[in-house]
Amino acid sequence: MRGYNEIYELLKSYNQEHLLNFYDELSDTEKHSLLEQIESIDFELMKKLYNTRNEHVDANKEIKSFPYVVADELSFDEKKKYINAGIEIIKAGKVAVCQLAGGQGTRLGFDGPKGTYIVNVTPPKSIFEIFADKIKKTYSDYGVKVKWYIMTSNANDEATKKFFKENNYFEYGEENISFFKQSELPLLDAEGDLILSDKGKVFMAANGNGGVYEALKSNGILDELDRLKIEYLGIGNVDNILLDILDPLYIGMMANGGYDLALKTIPKTSPNEKVGVVCKIDNKPGVVEYTEISEEMANMRDENGKLIYNEAYYGIAVFATELLKKIEKGLTYHIAFKKNSYIDKGGRYMAADTPNTYKFEMFIFDGFSFSENMLDLSVKREENFAPIKNKVGEDSPETAIKLYNDFYCLD
Ligand code: UTP
């Protein structure tokens, strides 16, 4: 590791030497860990991200519609064929699942990993337990313990693992559950400077759910999938309590058609719903965000009156393991201006009540462009999507509980 003087010079060359303003107040261990943290930062990347923060990600890209199959419009025979194929693949142990659980969950405002949030269903269960119930159902139906991966981040890794341990791994067997950590990037203040979360710590945050590709590689998960002869990895958001990855129809249809990637999507509720839609971007599969699609495009309809950009991506994708190996580093970074409290250059604690920091994130859907053959399966919203994003109102525990109870016919 480089010493203080070298690190100071490095910081100076990027006008970031304020990160060492409180160095003398730190213990030896804190000093060491601060220097180590600073050494791991890609300052050139941070400079570039700040300088290009106002550039529109998808400007000048050609956007076209993406064909999709409506699950409900499949014939009885087709459904039967795909379901049987899916069951065989699950029984053969060729599928694993991965939950993206590294997010900050700032909108929910819950102090802890989102998966540990207790949802007031009857009886009350954590989000992780709700998913555990699903995966255990697959075991009781098909006699196979599907491997369950959970992506965490520095901020919640320890608490997540502790929660699983305390809950005895939901009786699914510790050996069937693996945790891996995604990487982080520094936050920047409005002037583009790095900030401290503590006098001895640079303020870093998880690099977005698109960090999953690099994390799967660097944590040896892709090698493990190969070793275990797992051909498909279903990846889904942790905060959807109706997440249904191990759906035999979905898996069977993907395998039967030789697709390297399969999404489940849901029709938009209205042209202006604030969701990303599946489309072709420069002729490759992708998702365009509602902020990046014009009013005119959002309202375009086909000859049957259906919206052309109709299918919303809601955070579920099954990847062929082979495709995951091909998805390289270098996904686009998206930018958000968020509320974060930090220690300013004079050592004062800056409580944030308005957005004050830039956060850069990669999105999982930017990796879809590597697919050569993607399936978009349109499914019923009420059977697949009950998100917990906000504390109250839309997409809150209250709305998710209602959807969950309706789906399971509970009161
Ligand atoms: P969201 O974009 O909804 O973010 O994540 P979030 O962090 O949960 O919540 P807010 O925006 O701060 O309120 C969608 C999914 O991606 C995961 C989340 O855990 C969730 O399952 N995610 C997000 C990660 O795994 N890592 C990240 O860096 C960001």
Side-chain angles (χ1 to χ4, degrees), residues 325-389:
K325 291 182 198 161
K326 289 186 209 154
I327 301 180
E328 301 290 346
K329 278 186 172 174
L331 297 188
T332 307
Y333 282 96
H334 300 254
I335 185 166
F337 202 48
K338 294 205 172 191
K339 264 197 269 184
N340 279 295
S341 305
Y342 63 91
I343 307 289
D344 77 1
K345 291 172 190 164
R348 288 171 297 265
Y349 180 73
M350 299 284 293
D353 33 33
T354 51
N356 58 345
T357 44
Y358 289 107
K359 185 175 183 209
F360 301 92
E361 290 186 301
M362 290 180 282
F363 292 161
I364 187 169
F365 56 65
D366 284 330
F368 298 170
S369 62
F370 287 84
S371 162
E372 282 164 21
N373 190 13
M374 181 178 97
L375 166 70
D376 177 356
L377 182 66
S378 174
V379 295
K380 280 195 183 136
R381 177 183 287 253
E382 63 276 19
E383 293 176 1
N384 286 277
F385 189 48
I388 297 184
K389 296 280 179 197

Side-chain angles (χ1 to χ4, degrees), residues 99-109 114 151-153 156 182-183 205-211 236-240 338 359 361-363 388-390:
Q99 278 185 305
L100 300 171
Q104 277 184 298
T106 42
R107 285 169 289 170
L108 183 61
K114 228 191 211 182
M151 183 170 85
T152 62
S153 54
N156 69 19
Q182 66 176 115
S183 306
N207 60 355
N209 57 27
N237 286 356
V238 73
D239 51 14
N240 171 12
K338 294 205 172 191
K359 185 175 183 209
E361 290 186 301
M362 290 180 282
F363 292 161
I388 297 184
K389 296 280 179 197
N390 305 308

Side-chain angles (χ1 to χ4, degrees), residues 84-278:
N84 285 333
I87 291 174
E88 285 316 308
I89 289 164
I90 294 169
K91 276 188 174 170
K94 292 183 182 168
V95 187
V97 293
C98 170
Q99 278 185 305
L100 300 171
Q104 277 184 298
T106 42
R107 285 169 289 170
L108 183 61
F110 165 66
D111 188 21
K114 228 191 211 182
T116 68
Y117 179 83
I118 306 292
V119 189
N120 211 3
V121 290
T122 316
K125 285 175 188 178
S126 66
I127 296 183
F128 280 132
E129 184 174 356
I130 291 175
F131 192 77
D133 285 350
K134 282 225 164 202
I135 204 165
K136 279 156 59 179
K137 171 90 174 50
T138 301
Y139 176 52
S140 64
D141 287 348
Y142 310 125
V144 169
K145 284 211 170 162
V146 168
K147 181 98 199 186
W148 179 8
Y149 293 98
I150 295 161
M151 183 170 85
T152 62
S153 54
N154 253 341
N156 69 19
D157 183 68
E158 228 170 271
T160 305
K161 288 179 180 160
K162 186 164 167 263
F163 187 78
F164 270 77
K165 197 167 188 203
E166 281 166 2
N167 286 280
N168 197 26
Y169 301 87
F170 304 106
E171 325 313 323
Y172 193 60
E174 186 182 352
E175 66 285 5
N176 299 307
I177 306 174
S178 294
F179 304 88
F180 65 101
K181 253 199 285 183
Q182 66 176 115
S183 306
E184 296 189 303
L185 274 183
L187 297 181
L188 300 180
D189 70 10
E191 279 72 50
D193 288 333
L194 277 78
I195 51 180
L196 296 170
S197 57
D198 251 307
K199 287 188 172 174
K201 211 167 186 188
V202 180
F203 205 145
M204 311 269 276
N207 60 355
N209 57 27
V212 67
Y213 301 115
E214 187 251 319
L216 283 169
K217 261 185 210 160
S218 62
N219 289 288
I221 311 290
L222 292 187
D223 291 339
E224 181 171 291
L225 295 179
D226 262 351
R227 233 178 15 253
L228 298 173
K229 302 202 168 22
I230 292 171
E231 294 176 20
Y232 303 96
L233 182 68
I235 305 185
N237 286 356
V238 73
D239 51 14
N240 171 12
I241 58 172
L242 285 182
L243 183 72
D244 192 12
I245 301 180
L246 294 165
D247 165 0
L249 172 83
Y250 175 42
I251 310 273
M253 195 170 170
M254 174 180 185
N256 207 273
Y259 296 98
D260 59 4
L261 173 63
L263 308 184
K264 271 192 188 178
T265 57
I266 47 176
K268 284 208 282 190
T269 49
S270 73
N272 297 323
E273 195 191 357
K274 292 182 173 171
V275 286
V277 288
V278 175

